[in-house]
């Protein structure tokens, strides 16, 4: 069945062909190798991969094909099925071809299977056994290379094992857009390698290890750690960002030792970022806290769970308005609900915020018509990117958007303060300087197209309006593209887009792990689970609900400074190192009586805790993840949590029992049953099927709230501090998970200020290695980079990099941040 353009379906006839004497039908345009696979006939292959373009490199998939001119051997990975084609995969000619291909591939391939990481799960082993000649006629010495070569910090190359299948090079070029690994040399000396001084420093390098059909590429964190037959596996979901990539967790001796991508058609297509793939190492870190502790002098002393829980309960059993909770994005959906019920239904406070000042107003994140990733990436659609660089913050989503533009005819409109990794693919790039994005969209919505808005000229405004008001579907990826400006400007821009494209759908680009689940479960001021304000559904299940609307992280920290917060609970949050205004965060902690840290590591914030409650980490507790498109997928326990660490929902239940009343459930099944009974969007969820579902269900409470958008705010004029600051994040930073994963900890680059060539020329600092940044009484010397991707009159400096903390320049109260940059010797 195929759908017509009008949306109706009509029966069509497939492409008839004969496979090994059986009459079958293929889909129109389907490759022969795919049609055979779909009909239960496996054709051996090495170079073919269903997520990349076929190249016919290895010739392993040769089969005998007769298209009417007589039978001949043809590569099935390159051949679309044509009517009346006759295919023989078991003929003598086919078998001889397979024997020959394998014999030549094994000519120089080392017989080191016992020590090769791929041994036991190697397609070359399998194909040699099933389709090979069984013995070799070659007696000559095999080729030898230095081994292994570390082509990056994470990937090692054993060149003599390579069979030149072109999978790694195609992935790097076609999928990731990082053509850093190539074929070099000629003839029998051809090999895969990187060029000198150009390491394979791709964020997605681990995918080449997974798709390598032999052991030529191996992952440094897994190398020689285990054998495939020693591994136990379970499907789960990656949690380093909000993409929700599906993965397989593999463990040996009660330790997670490897993560592999799963081909989820709706989400990640089996691709993972290296941060997804290797951050499991943090769970095995020697720095991990595994027993409850209470403060003793300047340090901590271990204590019993009951004593720690009672102490925490006493600190929370006070005036609800003087209790606050920051964090919760790293929790599972079930734990988020349990903590929401504890703090809002038992303690009674609404001072709860999981976003830590770098997200969006909850109504804006919850109340727009939600797009799926497939809708964003639909062939021929229009994608509006109004967020930070997805390659840095939502890496697997970046791969999907890139594929949609390069392969499927989608059109990208980029509205960002600086160039992103997708800029080269964008049809239109509107470089909105800090504080002007709302004005740009307002000008387009109101057809004020004759004048420039900031650095966006009239021609760009006209082209953008023409494209957005056409008849093509529009999807908007929206979020905070600049931490140095107020979220109000993003809200203004969304308001403008709503007027231009009333039928557009929206995908929130919030970076923090399970942040969409946290908002859905009410870990945000003013909302209860399900994204509702109505208390009626909760009356029969909750002891109470808050009788005031609470504060966000900024408000909580300001209230603490004012002496209005006595107890602060940190749910895996580190405001001192993670909230944009570091001055405010540090000062707030000086005024709080009791800090309760529910965490796995001592961070800048949890180190100041009075009570430390250790939690089970990734791979140690069952639960559910809710990704950016509100798709549910499983979080699976594969190993036992070390020491006395417990799942977050159990901690919430124990604290509630100590405070009174208890939460009303003592098992994950009981917790899920209550969630389904209360939360409207979870009523139809089959929790037992999540682990086996291919993609997982979408949470779909029909939301298209009538959000109020006022006139676009005007950015304050530039002062004598003449550059407007742009701050976002890099994939490799000083975050807790990265720094506690040995293979990743050294990857963050040192902080450098990125300046436009025109601004550097005006400041006459071309020959200097450092510039001085001034802001009021703050002054720092910092290395700088001349970067043509930075717009004039702006400066870009990523957050949380070693060498300089840009948050020293930020204030939560400023709508934009201006800085002055000068040469070190300037006055």
């Amino acid at each position: 069945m195929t759908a017509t353009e009008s949306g109706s379906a009509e029966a069509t006839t497939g492409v008839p062909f004969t496979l090994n004497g059986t009459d079958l039908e293929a889909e129109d345009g389907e490759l022969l190798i795919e049609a055979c696979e779909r009909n239960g006939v496996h054709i051996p292959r090495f170079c073919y991969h269903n997520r990349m373009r076929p190249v016919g490199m290895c010739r392993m998939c040769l089969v005998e094909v007769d298209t009417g001119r007589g039978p001949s051997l043809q590569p099935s990975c390159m051949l679309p099925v044509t009517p009346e084609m006759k295919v023989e995969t078991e003929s003598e000619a086919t078998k001889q071809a397979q024997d020959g291909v394998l014999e030549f591939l094994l000519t120089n391939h080392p017989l080191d299977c016992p020590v090769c990481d791929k041994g036991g799960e190697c397609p070359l082993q399998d194909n040699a056994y099933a389709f090979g000649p069984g013995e070799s006629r070659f007696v000559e010495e095999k080729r030898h290379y230095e081994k292994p070569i570390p082509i990056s910090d994470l990937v090692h190359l054993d060149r003599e094992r390579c069979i030149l299948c072109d999978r790694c090079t195609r992935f790097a070029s076609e999928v990731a857009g990082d053509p850093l690994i190539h074929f070099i040399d000629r003839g029998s000396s051809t090999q895969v390698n990187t060029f000198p001084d150009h390491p394979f420093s791709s964020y997605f390098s681990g995918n080449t290890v997974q798709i390598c059909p032999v052991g030529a590429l191996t992952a440094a964190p897994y190398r020689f750690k285990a054998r495939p037959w020693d591994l136990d596996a379970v499907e789960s979901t990656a949690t380093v960002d909000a993409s929700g990539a599906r993965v397989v967790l593999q463990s040996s001796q009660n330790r997670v030792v490897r993560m592999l991508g799963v081909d989820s058609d709706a989400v990640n297509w089996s691709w993972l970022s290296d941060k997804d793939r290797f951050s499991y190492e943090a769970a095995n870190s020697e720095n991990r806290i595994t027993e409850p502790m209470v403060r003793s002098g300047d340090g901590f002393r271990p204590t019993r769970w009951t004593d720690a829980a009672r102490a925490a309960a006493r600190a929370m059993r006070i005036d609800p308005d003087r209790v606050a909770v920051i964090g919760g994005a790293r929790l599972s959906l079930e734990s988020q609900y349990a903590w929401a019920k504890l703090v809002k239904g038992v303690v009674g406070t609404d001072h709860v915020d999981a976003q830590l000042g770098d997200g969006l107003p909850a109504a804006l994140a919850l109340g727009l018509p939600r797009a799926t990733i497939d809708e964003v990436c639909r062939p021929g659609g229009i994608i509006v990117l109004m967020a930070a660089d997805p390659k840095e913050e939502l890496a697997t989503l970046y791969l999907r958007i890139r594929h949609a533009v390069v392969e499927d005819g989608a059109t990208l409109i980029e509205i960002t303060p600086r160039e992103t990794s997708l800029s080269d693919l964008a049809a239109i790039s509107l470089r909105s300087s800090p504080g002007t994005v709302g004005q740009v969209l307002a000008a387009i919505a109101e057809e004020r197209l004759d004048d420039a808005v900031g650095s966006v000229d009239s021609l760009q405004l006209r082209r953008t309006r023409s494209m957005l008001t056409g008849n093509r579907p529009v999807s908007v990826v929206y979020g905070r593209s600049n931490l140095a400006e107020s979220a109000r400007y993003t809200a203004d821009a969304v308001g403008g887009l709503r007027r231009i494209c009333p039928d557009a759908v929206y995908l929130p680009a919030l970076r923090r792990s399970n942040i969409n689940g946290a908002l859905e479960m009410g870990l945000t001021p003013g909302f209860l689970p399900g994204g509702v304000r109505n208390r009626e559904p909760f009356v029969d299940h909750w002891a109470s609900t808050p009788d005031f609307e609470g504060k966000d992280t900024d408000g909580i920290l300001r209230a603490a400074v004012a002496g209005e917060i006595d107890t602060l609970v940190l749910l895996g949050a580190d405001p001192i190192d993670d909230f944009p205004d570091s001055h405010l965060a540090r000062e707030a902690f000086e005024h709080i009586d009791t800090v309760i840290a529910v965490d796995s590591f001592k961070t800048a914030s949890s180190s100041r805790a009075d009570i430390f409650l250790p939690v089970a980490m990734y791979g140690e507790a069952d639960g559910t993840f809710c990704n950016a498109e509100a798709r549910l997928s499983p979080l699976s326990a594969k190993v036992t949590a070390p020491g006395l660490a417990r799942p977050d929902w159990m901690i919430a239940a124990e604290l509630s029992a100590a405070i009174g009343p208890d939460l009303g459930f003592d098992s994950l099944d009981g917790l899920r049953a209550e969630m389904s009974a209360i939360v409207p969007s979870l009523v139809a969820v089959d929790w037992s099927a999540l682990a086996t579902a291919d993609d997982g269900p979408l949470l779909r409470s029909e939301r298209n709230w009538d959000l109020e958008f006022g006139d676009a705010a005007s950015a304050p004029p530039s002062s004598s501090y003449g550059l407007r600051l742009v701050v976002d994040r890099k994939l490799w930073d000083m975050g807790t998970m990265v720094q506690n994963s040995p293979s990743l900890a050294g990857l963050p680059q040192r902080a450098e200020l990125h300046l436009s060539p025109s601004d550097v020329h005006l400041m006459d600092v071309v020959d200097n290695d450092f510039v001085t940044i001034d802001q009021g009484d703050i002054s720092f010397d910092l290395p700088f980079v001349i970067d043509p991707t930075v717009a004039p009159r702006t400066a870009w400096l990523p957050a949380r990099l070693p060498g300089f903390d840009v948050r020293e320049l930020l204030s939560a109260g400023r709508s934009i941040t201006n800085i002055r940059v000068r040469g070190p010797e300037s006055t």
Side-chain angles (χ1 to χ4, degrees):
M1 301 289 288
T2 59
T4 63
E5 291 183 0
S6 62
S8 63
E10 56 186 34
T12 60
T13 303
V15 180
F17 77 111
T18 302
L19 175 60
N20 296 333
T22 302
D23 293 335
L24 299 169
E25 286 189 352
E27 298 174 1
D28 186 33
E30 189 173 22
L31 293 174
L32 177 57
I33 195 172
E34 296 171 345
C36 292
E37 193 83 15
R38 189 168 50 80
N39 286 284
V41 176
H42 174 74
I43 298 177
R45 79 293 300 268
F46 293 114
C47 68
Y48 172 76
H49 191 285
N50 66 321
R51 294 299 187 184
M52 295 186 289
R53 299 173 192 161
V55 290
M57 289 284 290
C58 70
R59 283 348 217 196
M60 190 66 220
C61 68
L62 288 173
V63 293
E64 196 169 16
V65 179
D66 185 352
T67 58
R69 303 179 185 178
S72 63
L73 291 171
Q74 299 191 45
S76 58
C77 73
M78 298 286 290
L79 190 65
V81 179
T82 56
E84 309 307 328
M85 175 185 283
K86 293 181 174 59
V87 181
E88 293 290 339
T89 67
E90 302 291 338
S91 69
E92 190 61 29
T94 299
K95 291 179 179 179
Q96 287 181 358
Q98 293 167 349
D99 282 355
V101 169
L102 281 165
E103 186 174 20
F104 276 113
L105 288 178
L106 293 170
T107 301
N108 277 302
H109 193 86
L111 301 180
D112 61 350
C113 303
V115 297
C116 176
D117 274 330
K118 201 73 171 180
E121 56 183 7
C122 175
L124 182 58
Q125 280 183 328
D126 297 338
N127 286 336
Y129 180 81
F131 303 100
E135 60 184 27
S136 174
R137 292 173 291 177
F138 291 95
V139 296
E140 291 78 13
E141 179 74 11
K142 292 179 182 288
R143 182 168 47 207
H144 298 282
Y145 288 110
E146 173 192 354
K147 60 179 291 163
I149 297 174
I151 59 174
S152 76
D153 293 288
L154 299 172
V155 177
H156 290 181
L157 170 64
D158 292 82
R159 289 172 291 173
E160 71 278 10
R161 294 176 184 163
C162 179
I163 61 171
L164 303 181
C165 71
D166 201 25
R167 277 191 174 191
C168 59
T169 56
R170 277 183 291 150
F171 172 84
S173 179
E174 294 177 16
V175 180
D178 298 326
L180 300 170
I181 186 168
H182 315 261
F183 286 131
I184 64 173
D185 296 337
R186 292 184 175 185
S188 62
S189 297
T190 302
Q191 58 180 286
V192 164
N193 211 327
T194 58
F195 287 109
D197 302 321
H198 288 82
F200 190 28
S201 54
S202 170
Y203 287 166
F204 308 99
S205 63
N207 293 286
T208 63
V209 175
Q210 180 171 336
I211 65 176
C212 179
V214 292
L217 294 170
T218 55
Y222 174 71
R223 192 175 173 91
F224 303 137
K225 291 294 192 300
R227 307 302 311 200
W229 50 85
D230 294 330
L231 299 176
D232 291 324
V234 67
E235 286 200 19
S236 189
T237 307
T239 61
V240 299
D241 61 33
S243 298
R246 293 293 291 271
V247 300
V248 167
L249 290 180
Q250 296 181 327
S251 68
S252 177
Q253 300 180 13
N254 201 41
R255 290 167 67 94
V256 174
V257 295
R258 185 166 67 168
M259 286 177 59
L260 300 176
V262 170
D263 195 339
S264 170
D265 191 67
V267 186
N268 61 303
W269 290 8
S270 81
W271 311 134
L272 299 177
S273 73
D274 289 348
K275 192 173 182 179
D276 285 319
R277 190 177 296 273
F278 299 119
S279 59
Y280 69 82
E281 290 185 313
N284 302 324
S285 171
E286 61 184 14
N287 299 323
R288 186 167 173 189
I289 305 300
T290 60
E291 56 185 347
M293 300 187 299
V294 294
R295 180 157 295 283
S296 177
D298 293 333
F300 291 100
R301 62 173 175 82
T303 188
R304 298 184 303 171
W305 258 109
T306 53
D307 293 337
R310 287 170 184 164
R314 285 195 298 271
M316 298 173 71
R317 197 187 298 118
I318 57 175
D319 179 358
D321 197 26
R322 303 188 71 83
V323 179
V325 179
I326 296 177
R330 67 155 177 77
L331 277 60
S332 69
L333 200 71
E334 293 85 351
S335 291
Q336 289 166 343
Y337 175 84
W339 272 94
K341 184 175 183 180
L342 169 63
V343 298
K344 295 194 174 189
V346 176
V347 177
T349 183
D350 196 47
H351 302 320
V352 184
D353 185 29
Q355 298 201 74
L356 271 77
D358 64 1
L360 296 170
L364 194 64
L366 292 171
L368 294 171
R370 185 78 64 109
T372 66
I373 296 174
D374 278 343
E375 286 174 328
V376 169
C377 300
R378 75 186 95 190
I382 293 176
I383 306 169
V384 178
L385 177 64
M386 196 171 63
D389 190 341
K391 190 173 185 179
E392 304 288 351
E393 298 200 353
L394 295 168
T396 54
L397 176 62
Y398 159 80
L399 295 181
R400 290 292 309 274
I401 294 175
R402 186 180 188 280
H403 182 275
V405 177
V406 173
E407 303 290 346
D408 292 337
T411 299
L412 177 65
I413 299 174
E414 188 181 63
I415 309 174
T416 56
R418 69 174 189 89
E419 285 191 21
T420 72
S421 303
L422 292 166
S423 294
D424 290 343
L425 304 177
I428 301 174
S429 289
L430 305 185
R431 234 18 105 229
S432 58
S433 57
T436 66
V437 63
Q439 294 173 300
V440 169
L441 271 300
I444 296 173
E446 298 163 11
E447 298 189 66
R448 293 184 283 106
L449 308 175
D450 293 330
D451 299 320
V453 180
S455 58
V456 180
D457 61 36
S458 174
L459 178 60
Q460 290 176 308
L461 295 176
R462 292 180 182 277
R463 289 185 61 212
T464 304
R465 180 171 177 85
S466 174
M467 195 167 289
L468 291 177
T469 55
N471 58 3
R472 297 166 65 186
V474 176
S475 305
V476 182
V477 180
Y478 69 110
R480 291 285 292 280
S481 57
N482 183 7
L483 300 181
E485 68 177 14
S486 169
R488 165 69 192 278
Y489 298 121
T490 303
D492 290 343
V494 170
L497 280 169
R498 295 273 278 173
R499 285 183 284 166
I500 301 167
C501 316
D503 296 325
V505 288
Y506 294 78
L507 185 72
L510 303 175
R511 58 176 287 273
R512 293 182 184 276
S513 191
N514 199 13
I515 186 62
N516 294 281
L519 297 178
E520 189 73 28
M521 291 299 102
L523 294 183
T524 187
F527 289 90
L528 295 171
V532 301
R533 297 179 185 271
N534 179 18
R535 303 180 185 183
E536 290 300 321
F538 300 88
V539 172
D540 295 333
H541 295 84
W542 286 26
S544 63
T545 54
D547 56 9
F548 60 91
E549 184 162 337
K551 298 177 173 63
D552 62 7
T553 302
D554 178 37
I556 290 170
L557 296 176
R558 292 183 186 279
V561 171
E564 298 170 1
I565 299 294
D566 293 330
T567 300
L568 176 64
V569 180
L570 302 176
L571 294 181
D574 183 12
I576 292 178
D577 269 354
D578 206 7
F579 183 68
D581 190 338
S582 60
H583 298 283
L584 175 61
R586 286 194 295 267
E587 186 178 0
F589 274 73
E590 299 297 330
H591 295 81
I592 299 171
D593 293 339
T594 305
V595 175
I596 303 169
V598 185
D599 210 331
S600 299
F601 297 98
K602 289 182 181 179
T603 64
S605 300
S606 64
S607 294
R608 302 192 183 197
D610 300 282
I611 304 165
F612 199 114
L613 306 178
V615 294
M617 286 185 65
Y618 182 68
E620 299 169 355
D622 290 321
T624 306
F625 189 89
C626 180
N627 77 347
E629 60 181 351
R631 185 179 300 277
L632 300 185
S633 55
L635 295 171
S636 302
K638 187 67 210 69
V639 296
T640 305
L644 300 177
R646 296 182 179 180
D648 293 274
W649 72 265
M650 287 187 181
I651 297 174
E654 183 160 356
L655 293 180
S656 183
I659 297 170
D662 63 39
L663 293 183
F665 44 77
D666 57 8
S667 69
L668 198 61
D669 288 340
L671 170 52
R672 288 171 169 172
E674 180 173 316
M675 293 168 68
S676 293
I678 298 178
V679 182
S681 55
L682 297 177
V683 170
V685 172
D686 182 357
W687 299 98
S688 63
L690 278 180
T692 57
D694 289 339
D695 297 317
L698 289 165
L699 291 187
R700 278 294 178 262
S701 52
E702 294 300 326
R703 290 182 191 146
N704 191 356
W705 295 348
D706 186 17
L707 302 173
E708 295 184 4
F709 298 98
D711 295 334
S714 299
S718 296
S719 65
S720 58
Y721 293 82
L723 299 185
R724 290 185 173 179
L725 188 60
V726 176
V727 177
D728 53 20
R729 299 181 188 269
K730 302 283 286 182
L731 187 76
W732 304 129
D733 61 9
M734 299 299 288
T736 301
M737 293 296 286
V738 170
Q739 291 306 301
N740 284 284
S741 300
S743 300
L744 309 181
L747 296 181
Q749 298 177 342
R750 293 190 64 80
E752 296 175 322
L753 186 69
H754 291 244
L755 298 172
S756 166
S758 61
D759 293 327
V760 171
H761 175 71
L762 291 174
M763 289 182 286
D764 195 25
V765 292
V766 176
D767 296 328
N768 293 331
D769 292 328
F770 288 80
V771 291
T772 298
I773 302 174
D774 292 328
Q775 188 189 77
D777 57 356
I778 301 173
S779 183
F780 293 96
D781 288 343
L782 194 66
F784 77 96
V785 175
I786 301 175
D787 187 346
T789 70
V790 175
R793 309 309 300 159
T794 65
W796 171 46
L797 185 56
R800 299 203 76 179
L801 296 183
F804 178 70
D805 188 352
V806 68
R807 297 176 311 129
E808 296 291 333
L809 304 173
L810 304 184
S811 171
R814 292 196 195 106
S815 56
I816 62 170
T817 301
N818 290 313
I819 60 172
R820 181 186 176 197
V821 180
R822 56 185 173 84
E825 303 302 323
S826 302
T827 58

